[in-house]
Amino acid sequence: MGGEVETWKRFLQRNLLARTPAVRFDDLVKVMSSRYPLPGPRIADIFLEPRREPSPIIDPLVPLYVERLLALDFIDGPDILRALLRNSHLHDSAGQGRDVANGFENAPEFEDAILSRVARSLTSMQRPKNIPETWATLSAVSRWMSAIVNADVRDDMMDRINGGAGATGLRPDAVALREAVGNLVLAVSGNPKVLGILNRSDHKDIRENFARSLSIFAPFLSQTSLQLAARLETFRKEHFSMFDSQQPKAIGDGGDNVMGMDVSALEPMVHSRAGLYIFLSSLLVGCPKVDDGMILNYLHCRYQVRLYSTFEVSAVKMPIILKGHISAMAMDLVIASFDILSNAMFKNEHAQTILLLRSFLVNKLPLLLTTLSSSMFPPLTSEICIAQALNHIDPQAFPTLSSLFEIDALQLIDVRQEFLFACCLHELIPEDSIERLLGEIPINTLPPRGRYINEQLVAQCATDPERVEGLLGEIENMDGNAGAVVSAVTEVIHNLCEAKETMSLKTIAGFLARKPSSLDVMLLFSKPASILQPICHLLDTWRYDEDQDEYQPVYEEFGYILLLVLAIVHRYKLTVTDLGLQNEDSFVTNLLRRGSVSQKIEDLTVNQDKQLGDWIRGIFEVDGGINDDIMASCPPQDFYLLVPTLFSQSVSACNANVMDMETLKDLRETFLITSLVGATAWLTNHLWESRGEVINTLMQILQSLIKPKSISGEAEMMHETILSIIAKPLEHALRELRRSAPSRQDIDPLLHALQPHLSFKRTAGSHHTELETWTSAHGGGMSASMRNTFQQLVLWSNNPDINMTPANYTHRQVLVAVKMLGARSVIRTIIDEVKLQNQYQNGSGDLAFDIATAIVCAPGATDGLSPADGNMLGMYNHQNLSGRLNLREALELELKEVSKVFQDDPARAETIVRLHRRIEAQLDMGHVSNMIPDLNATAQNANGVEDIDLTVGGGSLEDVLGVGHDMLGGADLLGVDGNSMDLS
């Protein structure tokens, strides 16, 4: 038979070289089979044997020839499937032997194309042709399912044991191959001949193996193709439910695990109530990172819902979304939004935090639900999801009017009504359903002006400037219109900056600088960079008019606008990178980086030296004064960069008794008052360094700036904002001074004046009382506190409907723990808790995995969900922007050491691997387009060129083979153009 095999190989090679078309191939292969017969399995081996290293570019003739052999009954489906698997990179996982001399493997793209041909033959009812072939097909398909799953699990685990990092994500070709096998199984499920033998009593082992493989493969497939997996699961339940009671012992063979990996790791993720609760908490813990695209991407990935499908209608991809998952997504999102607000109330969070979370629930959530509702199809509606979600919220936190006498929770009494009316405003529910959903008659109503439209609001502001002030006052309203208001205000700011309408912009800047809570709400709908970039550009390019005759109003407008930038930057601890500023030499960039640093006199330029001299004379000389000449020669940008140097000289002048403190009163005037930010920052830094008499001078200046004896009304409001900006760092410096000089009597009055402003900053930092609570936890301080929090989250998620009050949680705890203990220590604590919950065997294991995954994937913990990169179909940006080791990177380090862990503690090693797999699956946002070209079309060469003539002139088999004598003749058997060719 060896001679026949070699002849068939040469036959195939010659046809590929000659590019023989399918019609001609049919005639030739019939003659070839009659002269040199071979059994089907051997023919399949020859045609499916790889002839080169794997490549995504496949020869389209090979799948075409295989299809013709199948149609002519020279081979059957099982022959193809077995031969293909023997030559696949999956062969070891299938438990099959393989004997290929060249050691090459077929590329996944080639396997995908062949599997598609076999599936097509099953769908068209051409195969199988008899009962033995049917059983053989089921057996071969079972092996393919087992091989796919086993290979993924074993390769990942072996890589861990060998000290590698493991797979960090699926390649597109691997996803395509996985789905090709899924389509093959789907074709089997719809074949009448296959269905006809499933209830037979014979070949029970084949049916059991198929059922067992399918029970593992279907949930495994759901990681990449939810719709296909759901159809296979339906098929399994309809025809193999009798095997559900049998615990699957293997994926294709007979063990309880694969290389120590529990196969339950391949089951669909359990969605704990705490999962989204943690995610939303992380978004809102400091500077709001609420980007629509990022949130929706996270939700679709978490709930395995795709925004695309594998078919097209009129060249437009049609979305296919399973109702069960989209409804769970919407319900959980509503529940989590109520939960974080309830938790904040029970934790007695600051009123501004309550306002932010309330606005998220009432103003932001309906917009997200509106996007999700576009993927809902009858009978599922947004009203059904909202109604079901309201049944799970805590009645103690969100009481009805009728329960006011029983529950003391007035703070959130109107929240449910506000949320429902906002949903009605956005047409998520009809107005007549509000009473039914509340269970009582509502006292609220829809906004009198109805639903705002951004374009209309911008047009109104263009014709009526006073309308802008009205909109600013509506930012904090709880009526569902805040999104449109913020969008309109942001666009108006852009327009004013472009038109250089600084007087109108001054009004907006002054309002927002005084209302930090309004800034919080704005960041629910807009990014800091989108608000500040046009403002920063305006400040950078600010120039005097050629006919400028008054300079004090210019300084005043500049100061108001700059104060807004400083307020936002300091409230949220933003950097130049956060603002998206590209010009390293711009005014705003220099001010933010060096705005508190004084310069040496000898380092000043000639122009700066003159400007400084003018300002010193204007402030200090008795007959001086700040006049237009000084301001005309010193643009406001130059002045603010000189402020630290000016105060450095002022301190020197005071120490030399050549200046009275009261001369600084000029800097408290409205048009210069913003300069106190840079001045106080320099004083604060200098306070840490100074000793002796210099400290007395600094304290006198601080007393004059922080507690002025007299200040005008408008300047007083700006002064309050400035105190909020500088309060925290100055308080730290003053407390340190009090520790080193406890006898000083001038420190406490300043600390008392700063006290109301200490809560201005909204960052992920923790207050010292909160920190003391965590670090003093019994049994291990911060680490023990983290364990307690994790256990509370698991316990609450186990019984969310019995104990509706959410677990006490703030994402600040995770962020502070990472800073104090390091990410490596925190991730080890999380791994220990997940392992412990898995050992309880009470159903908490999957919940623990989901909670751990949520903590690691949370934006604050990953340091990389950059809001600037979010878009509806975009991806997470998981770059570590902080420079510190984050939780995800710490888990990667644990994985690299899993080989040691596996020997001593297999359960911990399994926990590490399973946690990593879930995190990578949840962070994998790649959308794979599985577009396989039609290989029935005109054959193309490896480079896709379509103009090659594939026809071969008429003639006999000998003509095609290039021989005129016996086929078993000499070495020039397959000579080309009369020359011999070695095919060995």
Side-chain angles (χ1 to χ4, degrees):
M1 186 178 292
E4 287 84 351
V5 170
E6 291 302 316
T7 303
W8 273 88
K9 288 183 178 181
R10 293 188 180 96
F11 168 76
L12 172 60
Q13 185 67 24
R14 179 56 179 158
N15 278 280
L16 292 176
L17 290 173
R19 314 308 294 169
T20 305
V23 176
R24 182 65 180 149
F25 177 82
D26 286 359
D27 297 331
L28 296 174
V29 77
K30 291 176 183 177
V31 177
M32 184 71 181
S33 179
S34 65
R35 293 189 180 185
Y36 305 98
L38 276 181
R42 299 304 300 271
I43 296 176
D45 280 334
I46 292 170
F47 276 73
L48 297 176
E49 181 183 77
R51 278 161 292 279
R52 59 179 178 176
E53 294 182 3
S55 169
I57 303 175
I58 63 176
D59 191 332
L61 284 182
V62 177
L64 186 59
Y65 290 166
V66 171
E67 185 176 50
R68 297 312 306 154
L69 291 171
L70 182 64
L72 296 171
D73 285 336
F74 290 118
I75 58 176
D76 58 23
D79 293 337
I80 297 173
L81 295 176
R82 286 192 290 261
L84 190 63
L85 190 55
R86 274 195 295 271
N87 292 285
S88 171
H89 70 288
L90 305 172
H91 64 92
D92 290 333
S93 302
Q96 291 189 337
R98 178 168 173 267
D99 184 18
V100 176
N102 59 25
F104 294 157
E105 298 169 341
N106 284 320
E109 292 84 359
F110 176 82
E111 295 170 349
D112 187 352
I114 297 297
L115 291 172
S116 299
R117 302 286 171 153
V118 178
R120 186 183 305 168
S121 70
L122 292 166
T123 304
S124 63
M125 314 302 175
Q126 297 174 4
R127 317 298 300 202
K129 291 197 171 183
N130 50 55
I131 291 178
E133 183 183 345
T134 305
W135 287 118
T137 299
L138 282 177
S139 179
V141 173
S142 297
R143 292 189 176 188
W144 267 97
M145 288 190 288
S146 300
I148 286 283
V149 178
N150 267 342
D152 187 270
V153 176
R154 180 174 290 131
D155 290 349
D156 189 86
M157 191 65 183
M158 287 301 298
D159 193 57
R160 309 290 182 222
I161 295 174
N162 292 331
T168 57
L170 287 174
R171 302 188 315 273
D173 57 357
V175 175
L177 180 59
R178 183 184 295 186
E179 294 186 357
V181 175
N183 286 320
L184 176 64
V185 181
L186 189 63
V188 169
S189 71
N191 189 285
K193 295 177 183 177
V194 174
L195 299 178
I197 68 167
L198 291 181
N199 295 325
R200 293 169 59 108
S201 59
D202 55 337
H203 294 91
K204 184 178 179 181
D205 57 333
I206 294 178
R207 287 186 291 120
E208 287 182 355
N209 283 335
F210 187 90
R212 184 161 50 244
S213 299
L214 181 59
S215 67
I216 298 299
F217 179 74
F220 185 77
L221 182 63
S222 68
Q223 298 175 6
T224 55
S225 183
L226 189 62
Q227 182 201 13
L228 187 56
R231 295 175 68 180
L232 296 184
E233 181 62 16
T234 301
F235 168 66
R236 187 192 69 81
K237 291 180 178 179
E238 289 178 356
H239 297 281
F240 299 99
S241 58
M242 72 288 294
F243 299 109
D244 284 351
S245 60
Q246 302 178 15
Q247 179 68 25
K249 297 182 179 180
I251 308 177
D253 45 31
D256 290 330
N257 52 57
V258 180
M259 295 298 297
M261 170 73 75
D262 189 338
V263 294
S264 63
L266 303 178
E267 297 174 358
M269 295 183 192
V270 173
H271 298 134
S272 67
R273 182 161 177 172
L276 269 187
Y277 174 65
I278 292 169
F279 177 72
L280 293 185
S281 297
S282 70
L283 293 181
L284 301 167
V285 68
C287 175
K289 297 179 285 290
V290 186
D291 179 83
D292 291 8
M294 180 185 69
I295 294 175
L296 293 172
N297 275 334
Y298 178 88
L299 292 175
H300 283 90
C301 194
R302 174 177 170 81
Y303 290 88
Q304 300 289 314
V305 177
R306 299 295 176 182
L307 290 176
Y308 69 97
S309 70
T310 56
F311 73 94
E312 299 186 359
V313 177
S314 300
V316 177
K317 291 188 176 181
M318 304 299 293
I320 296 181
I321 300 179
L322 293 188
K323 299 172 184 176
H325 285 76
I326 199 72
S327 62
M329 182 194 304
M331 283 178 53
D332 289 356
L333 184 59
V334 173
I335 294 171
S337 301
F338 275 96
D339 283 342
I340 58 174
L341 180 56
S342 172
N343 177 60
M345 186 199 71
F346 288 124
K347 286 175 63 66
N348 293 318
E349 293 278 6
H350 194 278
Q352 291 181 358
T353 298
I354 299 292
L355 175 68
L356 173 66
L357 300 180
R358 190 168 185 166
S359 187
F360 176 85
L361 174 66
V362 176
N363 291 309
K364 184 69 175 184
L365 182 56
L367 298 177
L368 296 173
L369 294 176
T370 299
T371 301
L372 295 180
S373 66
S374 63
S375 301
M376 297 180 184
F377 304 99
L380 179 65
T381 63
S382 54
E383 181 180 355
I384 293 175
C385 297
I386 293 170
Q388 292 177 343
L390 290 178
N391 291 331
H392 297 276
I393 67 171
D394 184 7
Q396 299 290 325
F398 306 99
T400 60
L401 288 172
S402 58
S403 61
L404 273 179
F405 300 102
E406 304 173 10
I407 300 175
D408 184 18
L410 293 176
Q411 191 174 13
L412 303 180
I413 186 65
D414 294 330
V415 170
R416 291 198 309 153
Q417 290 193 42
E418 292 169 350
F419 171 68
L420 290 176
F421 274 102
C423 290
C424 177
L425 183 71
H426 292 278
E427 301 179 355
L428 293 168
I429 60 175
E431 187 174 2
D432 56 14
S433 67
I434 295 179
E435 181 177 345
R436 175 174 51 80
L437 293 174
L438 282 175
E440 60 185 6
I441 300 175
I443 59 174
N444 289 8
T445 60
L446 289 169
R449 296 190 181 186
R451 180 180 170 188
Y452 284 165
I453 305 299
N454 172 47
E455 293 77 9
Q456 296 177 0
L457 295 179
V458 174
Q460 293 170 11
C461 294
T463 57
D464 181 9
E466 294 183 359
R467 181 67 175 126
V468 180
E469 297 182 29
L471 290 180
L472 292 172
E474 295 183 44
I475 290 177
E476 297 181 14
N477 287 359
M478 300 296 167
D479 57 6
N481 272 326
V485 171
V486 170
S487 180
V489 169
T490 303
E491 188 170 344
V492 168
I493 290 175
H494 283 223
N495 294 340
L496 293 176
C497 289
E498 186 175 353
K500 300 187 183 301
E501 293 286 345
T502 54
M503 185 174 295
S504 299
L505 192 59
K506 168 195 167 185
T507 302
I508 298 176
F511 179 91
L512 294 177
R514 296 192 302 268
K515 293 277 288 183
S517 54
S518 293
L519 293 175
D520 294 343
V521 176
M522 288 189 71
L523 294 189
L524 292 177
F525 307 95
S526 186
K527 304 178 184 66
S530 65
I531 298 173
L532 293 183
Q533 274 187 354
I535 298 177
C536 292
H537 179 72
L538 175 67
L539 294 174
D540 290 338
T541 59
W542 195 297
R543 299 291 183 271
Y544 288 139
D545 294 334
E546 293 182 1
D547 56 349
Q548 192 80 45
D549 55 357
E550 287 188 274
Y551 295 90
Q552 181 171 319
V554 175
Y555 261 75
E556 184 171 326
E557 292 168 4
F558 189 95
Y560 266 86
I561 298 170
L562 177 60
L563 185 60
L564 173 61
V565 175
L566 296 176
I568 295 177
V569 167
H570 286 81
R571 178 167 176 79
Y572 305 112
K573 202 176 180 181
L574 302 179
T575 65
V576 171
T577 303
D578 296 327
L579 301 183
L581 302 181
Q582 304 295 328
N583 187 355
E584 293 292 324
D585 296 326
S586 70
F587 159 70
V588 176
T589 300
N590 285 321
L591 185 69
L592 295 180
R593 289 179 172 169
R594 297 184 290 276
S596 61
V597 180
S598 63
Q599 301 180 66
K600 296 179 180 179
I601 297 298
E602 56 268 24
D603 293 336
L604 297 176
T605 65
V606 175
N607 189 44
Q608 288 176 325
D609 187 65
K610 178 182 181 305
Q611 291 171 341
L612 180 63
D614 291 343
W615 281 105
I616 290 176
R617 284 189 293 273
I619 294 174
F620 298 154
E621 292 183 1
V622 177
D623 298 332
I626 301 173
N627 53 46
D628 282 343
D629 291 338
I630 295 176
M631 290 182 284
S633 63
C634 183
Q637 297 99 323
D638 293 349
F639 167 72
Y640 281 98
L641 293 175
L642 277 176
V643 166
T645 306
L646 179 60
F647 266 75
S648 174
Q649 296 300 309
S650 300
V651 171
S652 299
C654 290
N655 286 332
N657 295 320
V658 298
M659 165 187 156
D660 184 7
M661 286 313 147
E662 279 302 305
T663 59
L664 289 176
K665 67 181 184 299
D666 285 342
L667 294 179
R668 297 194 298 267
E669 294 300 325
T670 303
F671 70 100
L672 293 178
I673 195 169
T674 302
S675 66
L676 296 185
V677 175
T680 310
W682 180 88
L683 291 169
T684 301
N685 293 337
H686 208 54
L687 196 62
W688 287 95
E689 307 166 353
S690 302
R691 296 291 184 273
E693 189 61 31
V694 177
I695 292 182
N696 295 331
T697 303
L698 295 177
M699 291 298 293
Q700 292 178 43
I701 296 176
L702 286 172
Q703 182 78 21
S704 175
L705 297 182
I706 295 174
K707 300 182 64 178
K709 295 179 181 178
S710 63
I711 190 170
S712 63
E714 193 171 356
E716 183 177 8
M717 291 187 292
M718 296 182 68
H719 187 259
E720 292 292 310
T721 301
I722 291 169
L723 289 182
S724 297
I725 292 174
I726 56 92
K728 202 69 176 178
L730 181 56
E731 186 221 19
H732 289 163
L734 291 174
R735 287 186 181 277
E736 181 62 27
L737 178 61
R738 188 172 62 178
R739 278 193 288 269
S740 62
S743 61
R744 294 192 68 101
Q745 303 297 312
D746 54 355
I747 298 177
D748 285 342
L750 294 182
L751 290 174
H752 181 73
L754 295 175
Q755 186 63 37
H757 306 282
L758 293 178
S759 60
F760 173 77
K761 289 184 179 294
R762 181 168 183 81
T763 66
S766 175
H767 194 265
H768 64 87
T769 56
E770 191 175 49
L771 182 60
E772 290 172 0
T773 302
W774 294 333
T775 55
S776 61
H778 178 71
M782 177 61 80
S783 181
S785 177
M786 280 291 299
R787 288 195 296 270
N788 294 337
T789 298
F790 194 94
Q791 292 165 8
Q792 290 175 20
L793 290 169
V794 174
L795 181 63
W796 172 54
S797 296
N798 247 332
N799 303 285
D801 292 327
I802 297 176
N803 181 20
M804 291 187 178
T805 303
N808 186 351
Y809 180 80
T810 172
H811 203 66
R812 290 191 299 270
Q813 184 180 14
V814 176
L815 302 178
V816 170
V818 170
K819 288 184 178 180
M820 290 184 60
L821 306 177
R824 197 80 184 267
S825 176
V826 174
I827 199 65
R828 286 173 176 171
T829 299
I830 293 174
I831 291 170
D832 289 340
E833 284 303 313
V834 175
K835 173 191 168 186
L836 184 65
Q837 295 295 334
N838 268 286
Q839 292 174 341
Y840 287 152
Q841 298 295 324
N842 62 353
S844 299
D846 287 332
L847 295 174
F849 271 113
D850 185 63
I851 291 169
T853 301
I855 292 175
V856 177
C857 292
T862 322
D863 287 328
L865 293 179
S866 174
D869 296 326
N871 57 76
M872 185 59 68
L873 293 176
M875 299 183 181
Y876 286 105
N877 171 19
H878 293 296
Q879 297 174 353
N880 188 346
L881 303 179
S882 70
R884 302 187 195 93
L885 189 71
N886 61 35
L887 292 179
R888 188 184 180 197
E889 293 166 343
L891 180 58
E892 293 287 347
L893 294 179
E894 293 297 310
L895 291 167
K896 291 180 179 179
E897 299 178 359
V898 79
S899 56
K900 300 177 184 177
V901 178
F902 186 78
Q903 297 174 5
D904 301 329
D905 192 347
R908 182 180 176 84
E910 179 183 318
T911 301
I912 293 172
V913 174
R914 291 179 61 183
L915 179 59
H916 174 263
R917 291 171 65 87
R918 288 173 183 255
I919 289 170
E920 294 305 309
Q922 193 150 304
L923 294 180
D924 179 19
M925 294 302 300
H927 297 276
V928 181
S929 179
N930 189 20
M931 302 302 295
I932 305 300
D934 184 4
L935 298 179
N936 280 322
T938 304
Q940 300 178 355
N941 69 353
N943 295 318
V945 181
E946 299 186 9
D947 58 356
I948 296 178
D949 183 7
L950 301 181
T951 62
V952 178
S956 64
L957 176 65
E958 287 79 8
D959 294 328
V960 176
L961 293 177
V963 296
H965 54 281
D966 186 67
M967 292 289 293
L968 300 178
D972 62 338
L973 179 64
L974 289 180
V976 179
D977 295 332
N979 300 318
S980 64
M981 181 172 63
D982 185 10
L983 296 178
S984 59

